[in-house]
Amino acid sequence: LMKFYESLWRDIQDEGVLALMSLLSLFQVRENYEEVKDRLGVMTRREKYIQLLGRYLRFREGERGSRVTLPKLLSGLNEVWTIAEYHSKIDIQSCMLTPNEM
């Protein structure tokens, strides 16, 4: 988690990047893909926000910088999803200490 944060720290400090990444996370389809009713709509919107993020990065960093940063951010988004999925499978109740164990 720290390695992920360190690699994206500079980019996620930018409110424009953070806003677009948040929108992208809403249209991230993974394991429950078959439950999505309008798959084309979701994928279309995801592509739209990827393009907007790319344009924003080109404005901010130039063509060369955006070619490096955009894939890094998209990869980071997948890492966040993987971490979130892992944490969602942990049974918090079984990890909690009882008052006698404290």
Side-chain angles (χ1 to χ4, degrees):
L1 188 57
M2 284 303 295
K3 182 180 173 185
F4 162 76
Y5 180 75
E6 288 171 359
S7 69
L8 296 176
W9 180 83
R10 184 183 66 84
D11 299 307
I12 59 176
Q13 296 299 313
D14 185 305
E15 289 185 26
V17 169
L18 194 55
L20 289 166
M21 292 292 288
S22 297
L23 286 169
L24 272 172
S25 72
L26 293 174
F27 295 100
Q28 181 85 3
V29 178
R30 295 191 39 121
E31 290 177 4
N32 63 344
Y33 188 73
E34 63 278 348
E35 297 174 15
V36 176
K37 291 182 174 51
D38 185 9
R39 292 180 191 152
L40 180 61
V42 169
M43 298 311 290
T44 300
R45 284 170 183 83
R46 179 173 169 72
E47 284 301 314
K48 173 185 174 183
Y49 291 120
I50 289 172
Q51 289 175 0
L52 284 172
L53 180 57
R55 286 174 50 194
Y56 179 76
L57 291 171
R58 275 191 299 282
F59 169 76
R60 189 181 85 173
E61 301 178 357
E63 187 66 37
R64 185 166 185 241
S66 69
R67 278 189 262 138
V68 171
T69 305
L70 182 60
K72 182 174 73 169
L73 288 171
L74 296 178
S75 175
L77 188 58
N78 285 328
E79 290 179 37
V80 168
W81 270 93
T82 301
I83 292 167
E85 286 174 358
Y86 172 77
H87 283 274
S88 72
K89 294 175 183 171
I90 296 174
D91 181 11
I92 299 285
Q93 294 297 326
S94 68
C95 297
M96 294 180 67
L97 296 174
T98 64
N100 294 336
E101 295 172 316
M102 291 182 174

